[in-house]
Amino acid sequence: MAQRDEADRLLPNPQPEHKPGKPKITEEMRANARANPNSWLYVIDEAFDPHGPVPSWAVVGAYPVNGSGDIVEDFHPNDRYRPSPKALGFPEPRNDLERLLQLVRTNHRPASDLPPVILDATLFVYALAPMQRTVIGFHNTDGRVLVPAYTAKSLVPPEWPHARAVLGRDMVPLLAGHAVAINPHDVVTAVVPAEHLVAALEQEQKD
């Protein structure tokens, strides 16, 4: 079922490109530099353990260290750096789906990881009455019908008459081929085609 009541409401706001500034030099960094003269001091994204394996795209950049073990304040940013959700100040995720949405948004995980997690997630969808068992979609600005679904009841628009909780996998047969817009009004959103969710269900049956 499609309605135009919320036209233009389902288009996620684009997020600004993150340009990391010059990282603050801490006393721990200075001590590390003194122990390693004539080297580079690499700054690691705060979501990663600097003492463990760190992918190249988790390195914010590096400061040169001179022969005296002093940090030269000539920061060299890493153009391959992908800021983590933590570095971008995203809110603490409340569940596995929110956590994955943030990782996909920051290019730490591929979007193809979303459908299986959506199947097992509890989502809140629009309802005209508490006992409604269908889902309702709304036209986007380009005329496409999207079914809004939220990962937490607190995210549901206050003007909705009702919101019912539904398991992702139980929603798939009700979509009639329309895509799902996850958290369309939140900081981190995703639009997942119905066929991707159907394929995830079929893959489960094969496994």
Side-chain angles (χ1 to χ4, degrees):
M1 179 179 180
Q3 299 187 357
R4 289 187 177 273
D5 296 348
E6 293 201 351
D8 304 340
R9 290 284 311 279
L10 292 178
L11 186 64
N13 294 323
Q15 299 302 311
E17 182 182 353
H18 178 73
K19 295 182 179 179
K22 191 174 175 181
K24 180 181 178 181
I25 298 175
T26 65
E27 284 306 313
E28 182 181 2
M29 291 165 68
R30 294 188 190 282
N32 189 301
R34 286 193 294 270
N36 297 277
N38 289 318
S39 64
W40 288 88
L41 180 71
Y42 292 93
V43 181
I44 309 301
D45 186 285
E46 58 190 297
F48 292 81
D49 179 2
H51 304 295
V54 176
S56 60
W57 45 263
V59 177
V60 182
Y63 284 105
V65 178
N66 64 23
S68 301
D70 296 321
I71 297 174
V72 180
E73 295 201 29
D74 178 24
F75 184 67
H76 293 243
N78 176 14
D79 57 8
R80 296 178 59 199
Y81 172 49
R82 304 178 200 167
S84 67
K86 188 174 182 180
L88 290 171
F90 286 173
E92 187 66 24
R94 286 161 287 207
N95 49 58
D96 291 342
L97 180 52
E98 289 187 359
R99 184 172 294 103
L100 180 57
L101 282 168
Q102 291 186 4
L103 293 173
V104 169
R105 172 66 181 80
T106 53
N107 293 317
H108 285 215
R109 292 274 295 274
S112 58
D113 286 352
L114 279 170
V117 177
I118 290 174
L119 296 183
D120 291 326
T122 297
L123 298 167
F124 294 87
V125 297
Y126 185 99
L128 294 170
M131 300 305 293
Q132 182 176 323
R133 288 296 175 263
T134 58
V135 296
I136 292 179
F138 299 93
H139 285 85
N140 203 346
T141 52
D142 59 5
R144 190 167 46 141
V145 174
L146 300 178
V147 176
Y150 292 88
T151 54
K153 195 166 186 179
S154 60
L155 297 176
V156 171
E159 63 270 22
W160 278 17
H162 298 281
R164 73 179 181 94
V166 59
L167 198 61
R169 65 180 63 254
D170 295 335
M171 181 176 61
V172 177
L174 307 175
L175 294 174
H178 298 303
V180 178
I182 306 291
N183 293 349
H185 308 114
D186 199 28
V187 175
V188 183
T189 68
V191 175
V192 182
E195 55 266 30
H196 292 187
L197 297 171
V198 171
L201 278 174
E202 292 174 347
Q203 187 60 46
E204 272 191 354
Q205 294 171 358
K206 292 178 182 178
D207 295 342

